[in-house]
Structure formats: structure tokens, C-alpha cells
């Protein structure tokens, strides 16, 4: 799909005031470029001397917190690159909910699709990191993992150009599958399964995978999700190895238009339905925090996809956005549109 196709699909998807039964609507807040749908939580990181064992104890030496969630990071990245964005997520009336709402708002993500719960608590991840770098994480998804399909406005979703899925711990996974039944064919579905969904296996993810247009997945998750599946499908033994390229080609041949494998320091590999196939090296930089590298890569790639760039240019831009991100803590290093355009000018 090229840029003209996307522009045409955008105009055909526009929600009207009559659709919503109102006199006037704020079109920019509804007819957005991209909507994210995935975990939304506050990361609370505690620095400790050591990770306590059963019946043991340790001492907290420092703490910090920041808004998190894979899809949220990608959507914020797209917003910083000048795309109009929104987010399907659910928050409670608590301190964490206020922070999550504020973080989306200050990053110019429209709150049109944010769901407000009357009770419960907002999602959070408690992380404990020792002096040796050992880590223990405890996830409390809260109300964000209790999203039902009737809380999502299908008119809003069907007015976007790209819908980007990432993982949930529990029940909101069902809402993601239900939403696909009312999603227009011309909406591009982007999917980054992450480790949680990779471990579910192909059969459990089949409804999402069958609808996916762009698969964004790292090499480790690719093998966990697909290697045994294709060994079985192709009648191979456990000794027969399948490379990341083998898997990507099979996935593309089975109907996903664009498959992008994120390989960390090795860069990115991608193949699409046009038989474009590229291996793009990573940019050399001094990494400070790689936590959101994959989410940042997604933002750069989806921006390029919206622009109709070819696969090589898209992966180059995605690698560059990721390299900017990892040089700072969290997503604070994500570039803005002016910085990106300056980089594109050097290509």
C-alpha cells in the first residue's frame, strides 16, 4: 500500500457528525493517523541491595516512576514525529491514572478513546533492581486489563489509518479479538506481540495474526512464537533449524503483508508482499537504556509506512529512531519531527 492509497483510505474513513448524532465534532481528535491498543501502566522501579528470597528481606535504596506500556510508547513516538494519534486504554481515578492521562495529553495524544473506570486501580508494574543488575517484576494490570468491546467506540477506530496492537496480561485480549470483527478492511493492523503473546502460541493468536498487515517482532519472540509451529506445518524434525529469515518468509507467504524482525544490535530484517527484502544495520551509539528500543523502532517504522516509504528507507528510519531513544532513559530521547526530517535529508 503506498502513500496515496493510505491518503485515500483516510478520507473514506472520516466519521461525520451525523454518524455520531451530534451537531459538530472535533475531526482531528477522531480521524487520527494511528490508534494504540495495549497495556497501559505506570512503571515503579525500586533500587534494592539485593532481590529478597522467600522469607528474606531487602532494603529500598531509591525509587522512580514513569508511565509505560509498549503500545503507549509507540503511539507517543508517532505523536512526536507529527502524526495524529489516540489510545484505547482504561484508567481509574487514582494517582497512577492521573499520571497516565497526563503523559498522553502532554505528548499530544488525543484522549478520545481513553476509558475512565468508576472503581478499581490503574495498571502498574513494580520492578526491583539489585546492585548486581538482577531484576524482579510484579505486574498489576488493574482496570486496563478489564476492557470490554462495548467500551470501545467502533466509529473512532474505523476512522484511523493504522491500529497498533500490543499485549495484555488478561481479559482485554478478548476485546482485541472482538474489535477485529467490526474493523474495516482498509484499516492497517500493526501487531507487536511481545513476549507475553509470543508464549500464547500461533493457535491462540490466530484471529489477530490472520488480520495483521504489519508484524513487528523481535528475533527471540519470532522463534518462540513461530519456530515449532512451522516445524510441525512443514513436517520438520526438532533438529531442523529455521532461521529468522526462513520464519519471516513463511509468515509473509501465509498472508501477512509486511514482516519486520527487530534484531537489536544486529539491526533489522524485513520482507513484504512486493518481494522487497532488506537487512539494515543498526546505528552505532552508546546505549543508556534499551527498555523502549523496540517500541521506538515501531514508531519510526509506522511513520515511514504512513509516508509510503520503501522497506529499506522505513527500516533505516526505524533504526535511527531507536538509536535516539536508547541514548536516554525511557522514551525521553525520542526525536521530534524536525530532527527526523533533518536526518531524512541525509539519506
Amino acid at each position: 500500500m503506498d502513500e496515496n492509497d493510505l491518503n485515500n483510505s483516510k478520507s473514506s474513513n472520516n466519521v461525520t457528525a451525523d454518524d455520531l448524532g451530534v451537531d459538530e465534532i472535533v475531526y482531528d481528535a477522531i480521524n487520527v493517523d494511528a490508534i494504540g491498543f495495549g497495556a497501559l501502566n505506570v512503571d515503579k522501579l525500586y533500587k534494592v541491595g539485593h532481590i529478597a528470597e522467600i522469607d528474606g528481606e531487602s532494603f529500598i535504596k531509591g525509587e522512580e516512576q514513569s508511565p509505560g506500556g509498549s503500545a503507549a510508547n509507540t503511539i507517543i513516538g508517532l505523536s512526536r514525529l507529527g502524526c495524529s494519534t489516540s489510545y484505547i486504554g482504561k484508567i481509574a481515578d487514582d494517582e497512577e491514572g492521573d499520571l497516565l492521562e497526563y503523559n498522553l495529553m502532554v505528548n499530544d495524544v488525543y484522549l478520545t478513546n481513553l476509558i475512565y473506570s468508576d472503581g478499581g486501580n490503574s495498571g502498574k508494574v513494580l520492578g526491583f533492581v539489585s546492585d548486581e543488575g538482577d531484576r524482579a517484576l510484579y505486574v498489576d494490570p488493574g482496570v486496563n486489563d478489564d476492557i470490554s468491546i462495548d467500551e470501545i467506540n467502533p466509529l473512532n477506530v474505523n476512522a484511523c489509518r493504522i491500529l497498533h496492537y500490543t499485549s495484555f496480561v488478561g481479559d482485554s485480549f478478548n476485546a482485541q479479538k472482538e474489535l477485529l470483527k467490526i474493523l474495516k478492511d482498509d484499516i492497517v493492523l500493526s501487531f507487536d506481540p511481545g513476549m507475553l503473546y509470543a508464549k500464547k502460541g500461533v493457535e491462540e493468536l490466530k484471529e489477530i495474526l490472520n488480520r495483521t498487515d504489519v508484524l513487528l517482532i523481535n528475533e527471540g519472540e519470532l522463534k518462540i512464537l513461530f519456530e515449532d509451529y512451522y516445524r510441525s506445518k512443514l513436517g520438520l524434525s526438532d533438529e531442523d533449524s529455521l532461521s529468522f529469515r526462513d520464519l519471516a518468509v513463511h509468515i509473509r507467504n501465509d498472508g501477512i503483508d509486511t514482516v519486520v524482525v527487530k534484531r537489536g544490535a544486529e539491526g533489522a530484517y524485513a520482507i513484504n508482499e512486493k518481494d522487497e527484502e532488506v537487512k539494515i544495520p543498526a546505528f552505532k551509539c552508546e546505549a543508556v537504556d534499551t527498555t523502549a528500543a523496540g517500541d521506538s523502532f515501531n514508531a519510526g517504522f509506522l511513520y515511514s509506512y504512513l509516508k509510503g516509504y520503501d522497506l529499506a528507507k522505513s527500516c533505516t528510519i526505524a533504526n535511527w529512531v531507536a538509536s535516539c531513544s536508547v541514548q536516554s532513559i525511557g522514551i525521553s530521547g525520542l526525536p521530534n519531527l524536525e530532527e527526523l526530517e533533518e536526518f531524512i535529508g541525509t539519506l
Side-chain angles (χ1 to χ4, degrees):
M1 182 178 288
D2 61 25
E3 185 174 6
N4 290 331
D5 291 333
L6 281 171
N7 286 332
N8 289 337
S9 71
K10 181 181 180 183
S11 62
S12 67
N13 289 340
N14 278 354
V15 171
T16 67
D18 287 340
D19 290 331
L20 298 177
V22 297
D23 294 330
E24 183 179 2
I25 59 177
V26 181
Y27 287 100
D28 286 347
I30 294 177
N31 300 301
V32 296
D33 294 319
I35 294 177
F37 190 8
L40 184 65
N41 46 255
V42 173
D43 294 332
K44 298 191 173 190
L45 185 65
Y46 298 90
K47 297 178 182 178
V48 296
H50 65 276
I51 304 297
E53 300 177 354
I54 297 174
D55 292 330
E57 64 180 42
S58 185
F59 296 95
I60 294 174
K61 303 167 68 175
E63 64 181 87
E64 58 186 51
Q65 69 175 12
S66 61
S70 176
N73 290 340
T74 294
I75 288 300
I76 288 171
L78 280 167
S79 180
R80 291 192 186 179
L81 296 178
C83 298
S84 57
T85 62
S86 185
Y87 200 83
I88 301 171
K90 192 172 185 178
I91 59 174
D93 183 14
D94 53 19
E95 179 184 341
E96 289 79 16
D98 291 343
L99 179 58
L100 291 167
E101 180 185 42
Y102 178 77
N103 184 53
L104 294 172
M105 182 175 63
V106 297
N107 283 290
D108 296 323
V109 177
Y110 288 113
L111 305 181
T112 321
N113 296 293
L114 196 61
I115 304 162
Y116 297 87
S117 176
D118 293 331
N121 63 275
S122 301
K124 52 184 174 287
V125 176
L126 305 182
F128 300 87
V129 182
S130 72
D131 292 337
E132 291 76 31
D134 296 324
R135 180 180 294 240
L137 298 178
Y138 296 84
V139 180
D140 176 9
V143 296
N144 191 61
D145 225 354
D146 191 27
I147 298 173
S148 60
I149 188 63
D150 59 2
E151 294 178 298
I152 300 170
N153 188 327
L155 289 170
N156 290 359
V157 176
N158 279 315
C160 74
R161 300 166 72 185
I162 291 179
L163 177 62
H164 180 62
Y165 273 12
T166 61
S167 63
F168 285 99
V169 173
D171 290 344
S172 294
F173 173 55
N174 296 320
Q176 287 180 321
K177 293 191 289 185
E178 288 294 318
L179 183 57
L180 299 180
K181 298 175 183 177
I182 53 177
L183 191 66
K184 288 184 178 180
D185 291 341
D186 54 3
I187 305 296
V188 174
L189 182 68
S190 166
F191 183 36
D192 184 344
M195 189 58 74
L196 279 175
Y197 278 10
K199 289 180 177 179
K200 286 181 179 290
V202 171
E203 290 302 320
E204 196 165 349
L205 296 176
K206 185 161 283 188
E207 292 169 76
I208 296 177
L209 291 169
N210 285 344
R211 180 57 181 81
T212 296
D213 299 291
V214 180
L215 179 66
L216 298 156
I217 187 168
N218 74 36
E219 188 172 356
E221 293 157 2
L222 176 80
K223 293 196 172 185
I224 289 172
L225 179 55
F226 289 106
E227 191 164 33
D228 287 344
Y229 172 80
Y230 278 109
R231 276 205 190 105
S232 175
K233 183 175 181 179
L234 299 170
L236 303 176
S237 70
D238 291 342
E239 288 72 35
D240 292 315
S241 63
L242 290 167
S243 69
F244 67 84
R245 181 186 181 276
D246 294 332
L247 295 172
V249 170
H250 287 306
I251 295 164
R252 191 280 310 267
N253 291 344
D254 279 346
I256 294 182
D257 292 344
T258 302
V259 180
V260 183
V261 183
K262 297 174 283 187
R263 306 187 63 220
E266 298 299 317
Y269 166 85
I271 188 169
N272 64 17
E273 84 286 358
K274 299 176 184 177
D275 284 328
E276 294 179 295
E277 184 176 8
V278 299
K279 287 183 180 179
I280 305 297
F283 287 84
K284 292 183 179 180
C285 64
E286 187 166 341
V288 173
D289 180 10
T290 61
T291 305
D295 306 332
S296 304
F297 179 100
N298 294 348
F301 188 88
L302 294 177
Y303 168 89
S304 303
Y305 191 92
L306 286 165
K307 289 293 184 180
Y309 295 153
D310 63 32
L311 208 53
K313 186 173 183 178
S314 297
C315 287
T316 300
I317 289 172
N319 276 342
W320 178 78
V321 173
S323 74
C324 293
S325 174
V326 301
Q327 294 178 69
S328 301
I329 298 294
I331 59 171
S332 61
L334 279 168
N336 58 35
L337 180 59
E338 182 179 354
E339 292 167 331
L340 175 58
E341 289 178 338
E342 183 179 343
F343 168 73
I344 291 175
T346 67
L347 298 178

